[in-house]
Amino acid sequence: MHTPQTRGADETALASHARVVLEVDRVLDRIAAHAGSDLGAEHVRRLKPLPTPERARATLQSVAEMRGVLQRDPGWSLGPIPDVHEALAKLGIEGSVLEIESLVACSVLLRTSRLARRDLEATSVDLPRLQGPLERLVSKRRLEKRLGATFDEAANVVDTASRELGRIRRSLRGRRSELVEQLEAYARALPDRVRVSDGSVTVRAGRYCLPIRREGRGAVGGIVHDESATRRTLFVEPPVAIEPMNEIRELEIDEAREVHRILRALSDELRPLSEPLLNALDALCELDSIKARAHFAISHGGTAPALEDEGSGHYRVVEGRHPLLVATGEDVVPFDLELGERESVLLVSGPNAGGKTVLLKAIGLISILGQSGVIPPIGPGTRLPFFRSIFAVIGDEQSIEASLSTFSAQVRNLAMILRDADEASLVLIDEIGAATDPSEGGALAGAALQRLAPQARLTVVTTHLGSLKGLAAENDRIVNASLEFDSVVLEPTFHLVRDRPGRSYALEIAARLGLPPSLIEEARDRVGTEVRAVDDLLRDLENAQAELDVTRDSIESRNAELAEREAQWTRRWAELERREAEVEAAARDATERYLLDARRDVERAIARLEDRYAAAASGDDDATTAGAAREARDAVERAIRESRDGRPIPGHAPDSPPLRPGMWVRLRGTQRTGRVIELRGRRAIIEAKGLRLTAKNSDLEPVEPGVANAGESDASGHAAEERDSVRQPEIPVQMEIDLRGLRVDEIESALLPALDAAVVADLPWLRIIHGKGTGALRSRVREVLSSDRRVPGFRSGSTEEGGTGVTVVEFQGS
């Protein structure tokens, strides 16, 4: 029942029972499966809650650091970790010699230790919490290489381990080969009655022998070392082989002596490192355990909780899940739970199979794992108090041997909890007050919870007793909660709802399972008035909550739709502003070109005047004329400077009155004038010389009717008369055409009407948008323009105009 901060022989039976009912060991087994070695897995299984919040926080941080390493390099591993505890303990005995297998294991340990330290020190992840085990790792490359050069993959001492060993083994191979050849020749010389057909030289009891028939034993002599299963064949070392075999045996003894010397030398070299190697082994086991916990954290995607100091802090779990359910890969409904410092009892009610016990265990496991240095399956923002002790009463704890019923066992455990729980305790009780008379059980449970409220840091209990649901109104430390249940399909949703007790749904479930309706109604009548009133109130609350959920979902959907529309309008507005800026830049360029042309005309006129009156400097009229010419040139240059600086020029005042139908306007940068027929938002329809044009409002400037009429007259002064006599067809005119999305064979039919309208309307330019893409549309546009005699020239758009995705036609003759 009580989970202390140590695990071992001092654990009580109740503490072991708590680990069983909370299934702590099953969770640790799941985590241990991620370890790369048996020692690392065992380290995981021995995990226990750490004694202080500081140590628990540091261990959680080390797991988070290792998770960063694995996320950057998912395939990284520590390498094999051999169990050399006995070998290292033997090294502590002076003069002891390790066996070949132990020395090979020490070689593997040295290599794993060195590579682990190299890899972790080379990583770009900051590892302050892993520095402790890293510093205990040993790196002895020379000794590691010597051990590796002494043994082969089959754990045999190689010939090159020493010169003497190489010499001995060469002699052994030579003498053995000679003896085999000698025995084969001897066997061929034996008579058929003695020799075994297809018999060959073999080894028995370490001696070279020949197989012979039993009846030929006297003819061969020598020493019998073995016989066949049928006893018809004897394996005999003939006299000719005894002396050579003795020499081979002496060489074998020399070989064993040299091998033992090599092993003793290596053991002596390892002896001073026995303690550092033991520390390195423990560090590797710890790192493997941390790596297993990091893999577990990656698998469920949880984050390390913030652990408060003992006896303080709020309780807040975000997206908590039961670790075992997560490990099975099932879809788990997470729970959120937050309790203030004064809220110390959570009373969870609701129907059977609603998930109350799973929630209870999940709360206990999340705290135990977090305090044991395991990142539980929780979300960011989780803050947990640090519990010194955890009590758990879950399941049927009756004992026939102890003559205890379920209720008696629960009462006994409850008495121990009331005796031992303190301000740093977590208490978990499943179905408190059950297995006895509901009224008495409820009264006893209520009194116990009132006592535990100020005594324990957090008490979480589950119950079906309706009388306990009103405790929250009596004590502000007690909080009701329930796991949501779908009243329509009568199935749990497993969503934790705070501040609302749950209904049992017993009668509804019974009706669903087939009990007669009349029986259900009779049972309903037998339920007390007060219980029915509470049940009706809870039903009304559930219905109201369902309506609120529907309304909330509708509002969220509507908000998402409005946000998308706002984003669309924002994009459209940005595009319009960009297009407007492009048109304004184009208009300014046209105005500058117009002024430059005007300046050239003025300069030519001034030059003619200056040449004409240069010789008549004393004539007042002549001087006045020359001065006026210079003033005209200065005015033109000033207008050009103002246009470049973005200041207003005549006819382009930014404070012009707003456009309205009937107003006379001029197209900026041209002498084209017309009358506003209709306004359409940012665009206006104007009539000029019998044609209707569409232009942006920013491209138009108001002019006096007299100026407009003058602009409307042609050279012969008969424009108005012609306009009255011949009505021109209405051609929609725009200074820009967008061909994106068309096929190449559709370009000409779309572009020619736009050129016709631009020429008839005497536009200064036409901007053709075809996009960049593969360049096919641009090539076709330029083919059409090059073959049209009305197009004096064209160019690619400037950066502000759209670059190579735009072609600008310039009607210089306009």
Side-chain angles (χ1 to χ4, degrees), residues 474-697:
E474 303 175 17
N475 191 333
D476 61 358
R477 288 181 173 272
I478 300 177
V479 177
N480 273 315
S482 61
L483 285 162
E484 204 171 51
F485 196 82
D486 192 324
S487 59
V488 177
V489 298
L490 295 181
E491 291 181 355
T493 66
F494 303 110
H495 289 288
L496 180 64
V497 181
R498 196 198 127 116
D499 297 320
R500 192 182 76 191
R503 298 168 55 203
S504 67
Y505 289 94
L507 297 180
E508 288 86 345
I509 294 174
R512 174 64 63 87
L513 294 177
L515 287 183
S518 58
L519 179 64
I520 300 298
E521 288 302 321
E522 183 178 349
R524 201 181 302 278
D525 292 338
R526 288 177 175 273
V527 175
T529 304
E530 182 179 348
V531 175
R532 283 202 305 269
V534 172
D535 196 62
D536 291 341
L537 176 60
L538 292 177
R539 184 185 298 108
D540 293 340
L541 285 174
E542 289 179 358
N543 294 335
Q545 183 64 47
E547 293 177 0
L548 286 175
D549 291 342
V550 172
T551 303
R552 181 193 59 201
D553 294 342
S554 176
I555 291 174
E556 290 178 352
S557 176
R558 180 62 175 168
N559 287 342
E561 182 180 350
L562 291 175
E564 178 61 25
R565 289 187 180 181
E566 182 181 1
Q568 291 178 357
W569 282 114
T570 300
R571 292 192 295 269
R572 291 181 181 179
W573 182 262
E575 178 65 16
L576 288 174
E577 288 183 336
R578 183 187 66 80
R579 297 279 296 276
E580 183 177 2
E582 292 177 353
V583 172
E584 288 178 355
R588 186 171 298 280
D589 292 343
T591 301
E592 186 172 349
R593 288 196 300 271
Y594 173 76
L595 292 175
L596 289 173
D597 292 341
R599 184 175 68 176
R600 285 194 292 270
D601 292 342
V602 171
E603 286 177 345
R604 285 195 294 268
I606 290 173
R608 288 196 299 271
L609 290 173
E610 288 178 344
D611 291 342
R612 180 176 178 183
Y613 298 108
S618 59
D620 294 339
D621 293 339
D622 297 339
T624 300
T625 302
R630 284 191 293 274
E631 290 178 3
R633 179 175 60 189
D634 293 342
V636 171
E637 291 178 347
R638 185 168 57 256
I640 291 173
R641 287 195 302 272
E642 291 176 348
S643 174
R644 287 173 174 169
D645 296 339
R647 289 177 289 170
I649 59 176
H652 292 77
D655 55 352
S656 300
L659 301 179
R660 63 181 184 277
M663 177 182 287
W664 286 93
V665 294
R666 176 190 292 123
L667 188 63
R668 295 184 188 275
T670 72
Q671 294 301 315
R672 172 68 61 192
T673 61
R675 186 166 54 88
V676 177
I677 302 301
E678 181 183 353
L679 293 174
R680 296 180 180 175
R682 291 177 172 267
R683 295 183 178 270
I685 307 298
I686 64 173
E687 186 176 57
K689 292 186 178 182
L691 298 176
R692 290 197 175 188
L693 296 81
T694 301
K696 287 186 176 181
N697 296 347

Side-chain angles (χ1 to χ4, degrees), residues 68-206:
V69 172
L70 296 177
Q71 287 173 335
R72 287 177 177 266
D73 185 5
W76 180 78
S77 64
L78 282 170
I81 305 176
D83 187 355
V84 293
H85 285 97
E86 292 185 4
L88 295 178
K90 185 177 180 180
L91 279 179
I93 303 174
E94 191 64 32
S96 60
V97 178
L98 296 184
E99 303 294 333
I100 292 177
E101 293 77 8
S102 298
L103 289 169
V104 170
C106 289
S107 174
V108 173
L109 176 63
L110 284 170
R111 174 178 171 80
T112 300
S113 175
R114 175 180 59 83
L115 293 180
R117 183 164 188 167
R118 181 202 67 184
D119 293 346
L120 291 176
E121 287 180 345
T123 182
S124 58
V125 181
D126 191 22
L127 307 174
R129 295 297 182 184
L130 291 177
Q131 287 306 306
L134 277 180
E135 290 173 357
R136 303 203 306 271
L137 295 179
V138 174
S139 180
K140 297 292 183 181
R141 188 65 182 273
R142 185 188 62 81
L143 180 56
E144 177 193 335
K145 290 180 64 176
R146 182 178 175 189
L147 286 168
T150 300
F151 308 104
D152 59 17
E153 294 181 357
N156 296 313
V157 178
V158 297
D159 295 355
T160 56
S162 72
R163 291 183 179 179
E164 178 65 13
L165 182 63
R167 183 194 66 78
I168 293 172
R169 286 184 173 173
R170 285 193 299 272
S171 298
L172 265 174
R173 286 191 289 271
R175 298 307 300 272
R176 285 169 178 163
S177 178
E178 292 173 359
L179 179 56
V180 168
E181 291 178 358
Q182 184 179 358
L183 289 176
E184 288 177 346
Y186 178 80
R188 288 193 297 271
L190 292 174
D192 292 342
R193 63 181 180 82
V194 174
R195 187 175 62 230
V196 176
S197 61
D198 299 328
S200 60
V201 178
T202 184
V203 177
R204 289 291 187 274

Side-chain angles (χ1 to χ4, degrees), residues 333-397:
V333 177
F335 70 91
D336 295 335
L337 176 60
E338 184 169 6
L339 298 170
E341 288 190 19
R342 281 190 53 80
E343 296 174 331
S344 56
V345 176
L346 182 70
L347 186 62
V348 184
S349 54
N352 284 322
K356 299 191 300 299
T357 304
V358 172
L359 172 68
L360 198 70
K361 291 183 177 181
I363 290 174
L365 285 171
I366 286 172
S367 291
I368 289 178
L369 292 179
Q371 293 180 201
S372 301
V374 175
I375 296 178
I378 52 178
T382 297
R383 304 188 69 85
L384 302 176
F386 188 85
F387 298 112
R388 259 198 320 268
S389 57
I390 298 176
F391 300 85
V393 180
I394 300 174
D396 186 358
E397 303 193 22

Side-chain angles (χ1 to χ4, degrees), residues 4 6 87 91 93 110 160 187 199 203 230 292 302 314 404 408 439 453 458 463 492 518 594 650 663 742 746 765:
T6 59
L91 279 179
I93 303 174
L110 284 170
T160 56
V203 177
T230 62
H314 287 70
L404 290 176
S408 299
S439 59
L458 178 59
T463 184
S518 58
Y594 173 76
M663 177 182 287
L742 299 182
E746 296 174 338
W765 72 85

